[in-house]
Amino acid sequence: MTQVTEHGGGVWSLRVPIPDNPLGHTLVHVVDTDRGPVLIDTGWDDPASWDELAAGLTALGTSVRDVHGVVITHHHPDHHGLSGRVREASGAWIAMHAADTAVVRRTRASEPGVWLDYLARKLAAVGAPEEHTAPLFAARGNGRMRTLPGLRSALPDREIVPGELLDLAGRRLRAVWTPGHTPGHVCLHLEEAHPAGLPGHGRLFSGDHLLPGISPHIGLYEDPDDDTVTDPLGDYLDSLERIGRLGVAEVLPAHQYAFADAAGRVRELLDHHEERLTGLLALLATPLTPWQLAERMEWNRPWERIPYGSRTIAVSEAEAHLRRLVKLGRAEPAAGTDPVAYVAV
């Protein structure tokens, strides 16, 4: 049965499934406006996901054809995947932050093998064993990369400008840039009184930035043509503090469930990452490559039980934490190491 949740004040959420993913579903939010419904995110590009999205809108007395606009919190396929199909069916506009639009544009323009080559080089440079990089070369040879999500994601029509109100007739929805999970992730602040009278300043559509029981993945911002050393974890921590200062009454995230006390959750996540950085410094008493560090970090299961693709994500997160430690002057590359190992200062 389609699962639709009413949040009051012309806002609903629809559970749109993510195939073969432990998260289970994306919460697509529907905001009523004077020009018709606007979606915040759309869900994964999959036939079953499309059917659930369409059924949810029908249950609300509307349809995909009536959608006026689509606001994307970030470019990941469980959020942006169905945007193009919604636009085809309705003529709706799609809005996204320029930094994530650049990711979509770059991905669409790239030959499939370019990403595989870059990823294989990157993994080798951080100390990944040959048995981990070999499947990437095999995938390049058989063309499997063409079937992966995100290669033909829809290009947006509008830019989400941080600090500005979006053009939603009859609503006050302000964009808050919250890089970290992706370079162009945005939260959306509904600057209207809470319909149930909860204390605080409006409601926040938080995407993946602020979730009630999950610490979102913070990996690297990948661009094969850019050698800039980014600091995604630093960006994320700064963004968390920005969100904590808003004083919202309720958070409507893209996964799990709605919750209050955004400031308390922000403090939990800030403490979590500080504890994790401290723990990594203890591991770095001996020089370790990013891959070796990832093997020793605490995850939700032992390293030997982490699937292949998730290991690639884990080592990206390990490297993001290393970059933060280096920027803080708490770790540095160990001289003469290849692949480069890092050691606590």
Side-chain angles (χ1 to χ4, degrees):
M1 180 176 291
T2 302
Q3 298 202 45
V4 178
T5 301
E6 182 174 2
H7 297 283
V11 176
W12 300 263
S13 60
L14 314 178
R15 293 166 64 105
V16 177
I18 310 172
D20 303 318
N21 188 293
L23 278 175
H25 60 270
T26 301
L27 293 174
V28 173
H29 289 93
V30 183
V31 179
D32 191 25
T33 80
D34 292 345
R35 298 192 188 108
V38 168
L39 305 184
I40 297 180
D41 293 333
T42 57
W44 192 278
D45 187 5
D46 178 79
S49 304
W50 173 259
D51 290 346
E52 284 294 307
L53 177 64
L57 289 168
T58 298
L60 295 179
T62 184
S63 73
V64 175
R65 294 186 303 277
D66 297 325
V67 173
H68 172 62
V70 176
V71 182
I72 299 300
T73 61
H74 62 296
H75 72 83
H76 287 166
D78 57 323
H79 297 258
H80 182 40
L82 285 172
S83 301
R85 192 166 175 185
V86 170
R87 181 168 61 190
E88 289 173 6
S90 64
W93 47 262
I94 302 172
M96 183 184 289
H97 187 281
D100 271 19
T101 298
V103 175
V104 173
R105 195 179 302 278
R106 183 170 67 243
T107 303
R108 287 171 57 96
S110 296
E111 288 297 318
V114 170
W115 172 250
L116 284 172
D117 288 343
Y118 169 75
L119 188 56
R121 291 195 309 271
K122 194 81 173 61
L123 285 165
V126 298
E130 186 177 349
E131 60 263 27
H132 191 83
T133 57
L136 297 173
F137 296 110
R140 195 196 199 297
N142 63 28
R144 183 166 56 88
M145 189 67 175
R146 295 184 184 275
T147 68
L148 295 181
L151 294 179
R152 291 295 175 263
S153 296
L155 283 168
D157 313 284
R158 299 184 179 185
E159 180 180 339
I160 295 175
V161 180
E164 291 191 1
L165 288 171
L166 278 75
D167 182 21
L168 270 62
R171 309 306 299 249
R172 288 187 59 84
L173 189 68
R174 192 177 303 276
V176 184
W177 185 33
T178 50
H181 185 58
T182 71
H185 191 291
V186 293
C187 293
L188 300 150
H189 187 192
L190 190 60
E191 298 178 339
E192 301 169 9
H194 192 281
L198 293 183
H201 184 39
R203 292 180 280 180
L204 186 77
F205 300 101
S206 65
D208 282 0
H209 182 71
L210 193 63
L211 303 171
I214 300 172
S215 176
H217 167 66
I218 308 298
L220 301 184
Y221 303 151
E222 302 287 11
D223 182 350
D225 300 320
D226 189 351
D227 294 329
T228 303
V229 179
T230 57
D231 180 19
L233 181 56
D235 292 343
Y236 178 65
L237 298 176
D238 289 345
S239 299
L240 275 179
E241 293 184 343
R242 190 177 312 127
I243 290 301
R245 290 192 292 268
L246 290 177
V248 297
E250 188 177 28
V251 179
L252 303 175
H255 302 288
Q256 298 192 297
Y257 48 85
F259 64 100
D261 193 17
R265 182 60 180 146
V266 164
R267 286 193 300 272
E268 289 177 356
L269 287 165
L270 292 172
D271 290 346
H272 162 75
H273 283 286
E274 183 56 39
E275 290 171 7
R276 193 162 212 193
L277 290 170
T278 300
L280 298 190
L281 283 174
L283 293 174
L284 292 172
T286 301
L288 297 173
T289 66
W291 184 273
Q292 291 169 330
L293 184 62
E295 289 179 314
R296 292 159 174 79
M297 289 170 67
E298 286 190 18
W299 305 103
N300 60 1
R301 69 191 85 176
W303 181 259
E304 59 272 12
R305 289 174 49 203
I306 294 178
Y308 173 87
S310 297
R311 290 188 180 193
T312 299
I313 294 171
V315 76
S316 177
E317 182 142 342
E319 194 168 4
H321 280 74
L322 275 171
R323 286 191 183 184
R324 186 67 190 151
L325 289 171
V326 170
K327 186 168 184 177
L328 293 171
R330 297 162 75 179
E332 64 184 11
T337 55
D338 184 19
V340 177
Y342 294 81
V343 65
V345 175

